[in-house]
Amino acid sequence: MSILVYLCNIPQSGESTLACLQRVQIPSVSFPAAAGTAACQRPRAAPGRCQRRRRSLPAPPPAVARARPSATAPPPWPSPNARSAPAGAGNLPMEAAVASTGSRLCCSPNPVAKQQRRRSSRVSFVSRPQPRGVCCKCLPHSYARGYAPAVAKGGDARSVGVERKRLAVFVSGGGSNFRAIHEAALSGVVIGDVVALVTDKPGDRDACFLQLFGFPRWGFDVVEWIDAGCGGAEHARHNGIPVVVFPKSKSSPEGISADELLNALRELRVDFILLAGYLKRIPIELVQMYPKSILNIHPSLLPAFGGKGYYGLKVHKAVIASGARYSGPTVHFVDEHYDTGRTLAQRVVPVLPNDTPEQLATRVLQEEHQVYVEAVAALCEDRIVWREDGVPLIKSQTNPNEYT
Ligand SMILES: Nc1nc2c(c(=O)[nH]1)N[C@@H](CN(C=O)c1ccc(C(=O)N[C@@H](CCC(=O)O)C(=O)O)cc1)CN2
Ligand SMILES: NCC(=O)N[C@@H]1O[C@H](COP(=O)([O-])[O-])[C@@H](O)[C@H]1O
């Protein structure tokens, strides 16, 4: 049995390998791998040279093979007429009454599903410092329990007693929202760690850019291109974050199946999934395994301009063509359909009379980076409360009686 382990020279000048691994929160592992699992993505632009080394490893213990998550159906949304959420319906005991609305609030997410996801991993792994830093790569269902992430600098009183949440971010393109979330996690604004980047576009920058913005933008400055667009997977590789390719497709044959993805997320002990410009539908098995635990950011004021066909510049073109005077991003929980999950947060920006789709996209994107980080910070601090009619609210960090 053998896997490819790519060793890269990640350490910065004068930095020890271990310090480097702690800085980028990268596991230093070599582990058994099951045959035929998706290969990891080779880092492309890592600072040092990547050396490709084939190693033979013992076959994985049988326990590692294809353990399947037992997803539980999500609790039914409480009926608007319900006096209170049904017991055990995924809501914790009432948290408080909100004077302004007279409604009652409950907590989430569903502790039962969360407990199931946290079932101890049966993966054993051999962890030893690599001679020259480690690029990454976990093979999906044999991923070793990660290196305990270093506590991000900037941790403050908010983080005392709050367990750092483990985040998987899904991207298809440039990844500016992913980078904003990752930077917020490293700075301590978000009490969590990005432990995986999932993408359907692991590295084909042209296709990814075309995909997201729907047209070629050849001939403009490459730096702008990288900054503005296809870099989600690149940023992950640069920062030692494992990249998982999902789904499998002709353009990404190394991708994994939905079952393998569920397994990988459970092995990674992921608490929350954050979609950030991901263009594929999240399968219902994943939605059921992560009730009230998957967020998405959409670049319009949902429910307007959402659903199948509404992504990237297509959204902004439709907004401008409609004559709408305002637009803005929506952060919402994800259900099995495109953009129909419960809205959690929105920001508003003006649509100017001579706006081009690109100009509006830029204005909206600036707000996305802020509102998504705020929503993810609230999610990681358990500050999301669910009104009895099923509307999620964000409890203020400073005033527990204030909600948005
Ligand atoms: N189960 C869910 N999956 C996803 C959701 C969701 O709300 N529920 N959100 C999308 C993100 N998104 C809008 O925010 C979105 C992405 C893509 C599309 C779309 O029409 N896609 C095309 C295929 C595009 C491609 O593969 O290049 C399509 O399905 O025909 C609409 C909305 C992420 N997943
Ligand atoms: N319907 C989904 C959709 O259109 N998502 C949008 O894709 C862009 C991704 O940018 P990023 O890769 O720079 O974060 C963002 O504007 C996001 O709202």
Side-chain angles (χ1 to χ4, degrees):
M1 182 71 60
S2 69
I3 61 170
L4 296 180
V5 178
Y6 294 96
L7 303 178
C8 290
N9 174 8
I10 289 180
Q12 288 164 355
S13 60
E15 187 180 40
S16 73
T17 298
L18 193 54
C20 160
L21 295 178
Q22 284 169 335
R23 171 170 55 82
V24 295
Q25 303 165 12
I26 185 169
S28 158
V29 297
S30 56
F31 44 77
T37 49
C40 302
Q41 288 306 313
R42 179 168 63 88
R44 299 238 177 151
R49 288 178 53 75
C50 270
Q51 177 190 359
R52 182 166 163 162
R53 179 179 300 175
R54 185 174 295 280
R55 312 177 66 158
S56 58
L57 290 165
V64 170
R66 306 249 177 256
R68 300 170 74 94
S70 57
T72 53
W77 282 118
S79 146
N81 309 316
R83 295 290 303 150
S84 63
N91 292 306
L92 297 178
M94 294 295 177
E95 180 185 3
V98 176
S100 58
T101 66
S103 303
R104 290 175 172 275
L105 301 170
C106 317
C107 302
S108 72
N110 174 350
V112 173
K114 187 170 180 179
Q115 186 52 37
Q116 282 184 337
R117 289 199 304 269
R118 284 200 165 278
R119 203 167 51 226
S120 61
S121 157
R122 291 182 296 284
V123 174
S124 59
F125 70 101
V126 173
S127 171
R128 51 177 178 272
Q130 299 294 333
R132 300 176 54 215
V134 172
C135 297
C136 129
K137 281 340 189 76
C138 53
L139 288 176
H141 52 266
S142 56
Y143 183 69
R145 192 170 291 287
Y147 184 82
V151 175
K153 61 181 185 292
D156 58 20
R158 284 180 306 121
S159 59
V160 173
V162 176
E163 178 189 350
R164 294 184 69 79
K165 301 304 187 297
R166 297 171 65 83
L167 311 172
V169 184
F170 287 46
V171 304
S172 290
S176 69
N177 276 288
F178 161 48
R179 291 197 297 271
I181 291 164
H182 184 223
E183 284 152 18
L186 294 178
S187 69
V189 170
V190 163
I191 304 176
D193 299 293
V194 179
V195 299
L197 187 283
V198 180
T199 182
D200 60 317
K201 296 278 187 298
D204 180 342
R205 294 183 183 176
D206 298 355
C208 136
F209 206 92
L210 280 169
Q211 190 68 46
L212 198 55
F213 288 91
F215 65 90
R217 293 177 62 178
W218 313 120
F220 67 93
D221 181 274
V222 173
V223 172
E224 176 195 344
W225 174 46
I226 291 176
D227 288 348
C230 303
E234 295 303 310
H235 178 80
R237 291 185 186 106
H238 272 301
N239 288 277
I241 298 171
V243 175
V244 176
V245 182
F246 174 77
K248 184 192 294 283
S249 67
K250 286 180 184 172
S251 57
S252 302
E254 73 278 25
I256 61 176
S257 68
D259 268 359
E260 287 171 324
L261 176 65
L262 297 185
N263 237 351
L265 296 172
R266 174 147 29 76
E267 294 301 328
L268 284 160
R269 293 177 290 117
V270 168
D271 295 304
F272 298 121
I273 292 171
L274 310 174
L275 311 187
Y278 188 67
L279 299 182
K280 296 299 183 189
R281 191 190 304 275
I282 298 298
I284 190 166
E285 307 95 311
L286 192 55
V287 173
Q288 290 175 340
M289 186 172 157
Y290 281 90
K292 301 182 181 180
S293 300
I294 307 178
L295 289 180
N296 178 50
I297 188 147
H298 180 78
S300 76
L301 296 172
L302 292 175
F305 308 106
K308 188 177 177 63
Y310 285 99
Y311 57 93
L313 281 182
K314 295 171 185 277
V315 174
H316 305 296
K317 285 177 184 173
V319 168
I320 291 169
S322 75
R325 284 346 188 237
Y326 294 96
S327 189
T330 299
V331 180
H332 66 92
F333 283 94
V334 167
D335 62 18
E336 63 270 34
H337 307 294
Y338 278 144
D339 304 331
T340 56
R342 293 289 189 160
T343 292
L344 177 64
Q346 292 185 314
R347 288 278 182 94
V348 177
V349 300
V351 181
L352 304 178
N354 58 350
D355 263 343
T356 64
E358 292 80 4
Q359 288 169 328
L360 179 57
T362 300
R363 195 175 306 128
V364 170
L365 194 61
Q366 287 170 343
E367 295 300 319
E368 289 183 39
H369 296 159
Q370 298 176 39
V371 70
Y372 211 4
V373 165
E374 288 171 9
V376 173
L379 192 63
C380 291
E381 295 169 39
D382 293 336
R383 283 191 287 111
I384 307 292
V385 291
W386 293 78
R387 220 166 54 194
E388 192 176 72
D389 59 1
V391 171
L393 305 174
I394 294 179
K395 182 162 59 174
S396 160
Q397 255 177 335
T398 52
N399 177 353
N401 295 316
E402 190 180 288
Y403 297 82
T404 55

